[in-house]
Amino acid sequence: MKSKSIIFTAMLTALPSALMAQQNIQKAFDALLNERIVETKTQHSLERDPETGKKISQMDVYDFSVTNSVGLNKIKNIQKAFEKDKEAAYQIRSGSNVGSNYVALAVGDGGEPLVAIGKIKGSDFIYACFLDKDDPEKKYRYAYALEWKDSRVRLAITYATTQQYRESKNNRRPKKIIIKGKKFNVPDTSSITFSDNFPFDVDSILHVDSIPFNPATQIDLGNIGNIFDVAFGDWLTNFNNYKNLFLKNPKGTPANVYASRIYNLCKKADNLDDAEKALVSKEILKLKTKTNDEFIQNLFDMSIERLKK
């Protein structure tokens, strides 16, 4: 506990402007972190421009358990602190973990590892963003977040460019994806939707700051801002990917998405031989037993019928 307090004190000294706009939240965070807690994990990073010495990136994340009534009461105090400082925030949001929905806080220019908020099953969360008053260009912000479920708690503070700045910067440069080692420019639009052959689990791609992520939404390259590899497999590989993704959460919102993609694949199964179609049909019947959703069950029936044509 002592070493953690020292780290947090150092963090406070690095945030002089933050104490002006969001001082109630900062004090409430400090009070909880100095309470008797069972710390499970901490993450810290700080980066400065080597020429100017100006901070350009910071992340402080605390995951821990609170088991005493005093600590639990301090969690309520943090919630009240967000209310007190809300007029100084340019963005404040709260919510609950529902299915695969969650948000991610950017760090630095958004290309660094993001901080997920709202991923604990059944948790509640709140976060707020404040402009850095020491930044005359108003392109940097502090984000404060609290997530809690029973005794489990996550506190997070990140320093990054604002979402608006990142989007404007990304819109001025061509987006690229790499497919099988070849680079392709993406048209200068705000977002792109991948086709049914996109084989990856989109749960692994997070939207940043104010945008909640749901696997049924488009994948916004403007928010991701990075070049990433896409390796398209053959028909059976894609089917197996969708099958496994469906099995991860057969009763959640993403189940409809993956069932629909399986159906679309089955409409384009002309290149499969009889043995392959029989194998796929057998696997689809297994998937059907994993859900009670009548619409999804009908999709699977239609998929099998398509394979017979």
Side-chain angles (χ1 to χ4, degrees):
M1 185 64 213
K2 183 177 179 181
S3 61
K4 175 180 62 55
S5 298
I6 293 173
I7 292 175
F8 192 67
T9 300
M11 183 181 73
L12 291 177
T13 61
L15 306 177
S17 61
L19 295 175
M20 297 174 61
Q22 53 268 34
Q23 56 183 333
N24 291 298
I25 297 175
Q26 187 75 74
K27 289 177 180 178
F29 272 32
D30 193 13
L32 178 57
L33 286 168
N34 281 286
E35 186 52 47
R36 288 176 294 171
I37 60 177
V38 180
E39 192 174 282
T40 57
K41 183 180 179 181
T42 62
Q43 304 172 65
H44 302 281
S45 69
L46 175 64
E47 183 179 357
R48 298 184 183 276
D49 185 304
E51 294 184 0
T52 64
K54 185 183 183 302
K55 180 167 58 181
I56 57 176
S57 172
Q58 184 172 345
M59 173 189 68
D60 295 281
V61 182
Y62 301 86
D63 293 295
F64 53 89
S65 296
V66 176
T67 56
N68 61 79
S69 59
V70 176
L72 293 174
N73 188 58
K74 291 185 185 299
I75 294 176
K76 295 181 181 179
N77 290 340
I78 292 177
Q79 297 171 55
K80 294 177 182 177
F82 274 95
E83 179 67 22
K84 292 178 181 178
D85 286 341
K86 70 177 183 180
E87 294 302 322
Y90 69 82
Q91 181 181 108
I92 181 167
R93 297 202 179 194
S94 61
S96 300
N97 171 274
V98 180
S100 298
N101 288 316
Y102 59 94
V103 297
L105 301 179
V107 180
D109 62 2
E112 302 178 43
L114 309 176
V115 178
I117 300 296
K119 288 197 72 174
I120 300 174
K121 187 175 181 180
S123 69
D124 294 301
F125 64 88
I126 184 170
Y127 75 92
C129 296
F130 303 84
L131 287 175
D132 179 1
K133 292 185 178 297
D134 291 338
D135 177 23
E137 298 181 65
K138 296 184 178 180
K139 68 178 184 179
Y140 282 95
R141 63 97 182 110
Y142 290 97
Y144 285 71
L146 163 69
E147 179 179 6
W148 71 99
K149 167 61 176 174
D150 299 327
S151 63
R152 295 181 63 186
V153 180
R154 163 168 280 201
L155 293 182
I157 301 175
T158 73
Y159 186 77
T161 52
T162 66
Q163 183 183 352
Q164 182 179 7
Y165 176 80
R166 292 192 302 273
E167 288 179 350
S168 65
K169 184 178 179 182
N170 285 326
N171 286 336
R172 293 196 297 266
R173 67 186 183 194
K175 285 79 175 180
K176 295 181 180 180
I177 59 175
I178 301 175
I179 303 176
K180 294 184 177 181
K182 296 182 179 180
K183 294 183 179 180
F184 294 85
N185 287 328
V186 177
D188 189 17
T189 56
S190 62
S191 63
I192 182 171
T193 304
F194 288 104
S195 71
D196 291 329
N197 291 325
F198 187 68
F200 296 114
D201 180 359
V202 289
D203 284 336
S204 64
I205 301 176
L206 302 179
H207 286 236
V208 180
D209 285 356
S210 64
I211 303 179
F213 176 71
N214 184 294
T217 62
Q218 293 181 336
I219 299 173
D220 190 338
L221 290 180
N223 284 328
I224 296 172
N226 294 327
I227 296 176
F228 56 92
D229 288 329
V230 180
F232 291 96
D234 57 20
W235 197 101
L236 290 174
T237 299
N238 292 333
F239 170 78
N240 195 50
N241 283 327
Y242 292 140
K243 179 195 74 173
N244 291 333
L245 292 170
F246 177 86
L247 290 173
K248 284 177 60 177
N249 194 1
K251 297 181 180 179
T253 301
N256 286 287
V257 177
Y258 300 126
S260 298
R261 292 181 179 180
I262 288 174
Y263 172 64
N264 286 331
L265 276 178
C266 290
K267 291 194 297 184
K268 307 170 186 177
D270 296 340
N271 292 331
L272 298 183
D273 59 33
D274 291 342
E276 291 170 333
K277 289 182 178 180
L279 172 64
V280 172
S281 296
K282 182 179 178 181
E283 293 300 314
I284 293 176
L285 286 174
K286 292 180 183 178
L287 294 179
K288 185 179 175 182
T289 65
K290 301 297 183 181
T291 179
N292 295 322
D293 188 299
E294 185 175 353
F295 176 77
I296 293 178
Q297 290 178 339
N298 288 336
L299 272 181
F300 286 148
D301 287 337
M302 293 166 60
S303 298
I304 293 174
E305 288 300 313
R306 285 283 183 173
L307 291 171
K308 294 178 180 179
K309 295 181 178 182

